[in-house]
């Protein structure tokens, strides 16, 4: 069973940057970053197939970049120009097959434990 371990969360001021990492114990083809803010549903942020980004949430386009390093078996989310509304627990997700929407939580059967990102205004 593939396991995912996230790291890199923290607290920053608005306008700052963070890079999240997700180390996978296997090689799932489809991976994504989701987030869940206080009192909100989990939502997709960015998705990737192999090493090709496939989707970004509109509110993060131009600010966030998803990437994968196969040599290190690690998925990244580079976040720039952070805003208070980006505050959330960020989760790494993975699956070997994707049949529908890459931002549908039900498409993913492997999840990390989450890492907290807090952006102060």
């Amino acid at each position: 069973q593939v396991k995912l371990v996230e790291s890199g969360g923290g607290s920053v001021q608005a306008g700052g940057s963070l890079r999240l990492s997700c180390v996978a114990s296997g090689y799932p083809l489809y991976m994504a970053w989701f987030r869940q803010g206080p009192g909100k549903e989990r939502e997709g942020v960015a998705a990737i197939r192999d090493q090709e980004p496939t989707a970004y949430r509109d509110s993060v386009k131009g600010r966030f970049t998803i990437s994968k390093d196969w040599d290190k078996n690690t998925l990244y989310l580079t976040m720039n120009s952070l805003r208070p509304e980006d505050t959330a627990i960020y989760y790494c997700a993975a699956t070997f097959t994707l049949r529908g929407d890459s931002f549908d939580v039900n498409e993913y059967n492997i999840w990390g434990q989450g890492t907290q990102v807090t952006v102060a205004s």
Side-chain angles (χ1 to χ4, degrees):
Q1 176 73 3
V2 174
K3 293 186 178 180
L4 305 174
V5 179
E6 302 111 329
S7 63
S11 298
V12 296
Q13 293 291 319
S17 299
L18 284 173
R19 188 177 77 161
L20 306 182
S21 300
C22 172
V23 179
S25 61
Y27 298 89
L29 184 59
Y30 301 91
M31 299 187 74
W33 287 98
F34 285 77
R35 68 186 180 188
Q36 189 164 13
K40 298 182 179 179
E41 293 187 354
R42 194 169 298 190
E43 62 186 22
V45 176
I48 193 167
R49 181 189 184 281
D50 194 359
Q51 292 182 302
E52 190 69 27
T54 57
Y56 285 99
R57 187 169 196 82
D58 284 347
S59 62
V60 308
K61 287 180 180 177
R63 300 188 299 124
F64 290 11
T65 302
I66 189 171
S67 61
K68 188 190 295 182
D69 185 330
W70 273 120
D71 289 340
K72 296 181 179 180
N73 221 7
T74 301
L75 179 73
Y76 299 101
L77 184 68
T78 303
M79 305 184 294
N80 297 317
S81 302
L82 281 161
R83 305 168 181 170
E85 53 264 39
D86 294 319
T87 294
I89 299 174
Y90 283 70
Y91 297 91
C92 176
T95 182
F96 288 92
T97 59
L98 187 74
R99 298 179 177 84
D101 182 359
S102 57
F103 284 169
D104 183 349
V105 295
N106 296 309
E107 290 283 346
Y108 298 88
N109 58 344
I110 306 165
W111 291 84
Q113 81 285 358
T115 185
Q116 177 71 47
V117 171
T118 302
V119 185
S121 58

